[in-house]
Amino acid sequence: MKSISYTLVVASASRPHLLSTTLNTLFSNIDQQPDAIVLHDDAVFPGKRDAVEAVAQREVGGRVLLCWFDDPAIGH
């Protein structure tokens, strides 16, 4: 299979416990890993930015990560 370069865009809504499960499951089941991840956290619940960013950093491993936060939420 030919490898392609791509960036994964992840929508988040201030739920770090669900983000961890989602990213872990995704990365363990896709056949080709992304080169970079863009995470957009739309702050449905205020005060979760640090926890969301920590989960993202932990789960993406050595991949390039760009986090974008909107607080108050703008609605995905």
Side-chain angles (χ1 to χ4, degrees), residues 2 5 8-9 25 30 45 47 56 60 71 73 75:
K2 184 177 178 183
S5 176
L8 177 68
V9 178
T25 301
I30 56 178
F45 303 105
V60 302
D71 188 0

Side-chain angles (χ1 to χ4, degrees), residues 4-68:
I4 60 168
S5 176
Y6 74 99
T7 298
L8 177 68
V9 178
V10 178
S12 174
S14 305
R15 295 176 176 93
H17 62 293
L18 296 177
L19 179 60
S20 179
T21 301
T22 299
L23 291 176
N24 188 301
T25 301
L26 175 71
F27 293 143
S28 65
N29 287 290
I30 56 178
D31 63 350
Q32 188 171 324
Q33 300 295 319
D35 297 310
I37 293 99
V38 173
L39 172 77
H40 175 221
D41 188 70
D42 203 26
V44 174
F45 303 105
K48 300 283 187 179
R49 179 182 180 143
D50 290 344
V52 168
E53 191 164 17
V55 165
Q57 291 288 346
R58 182 181 69 239
E59 297 297 337
V60 302
R63 299 172 189 93
V64 173
L65 173 66
L66 171 66
C67 293
W68 169 21

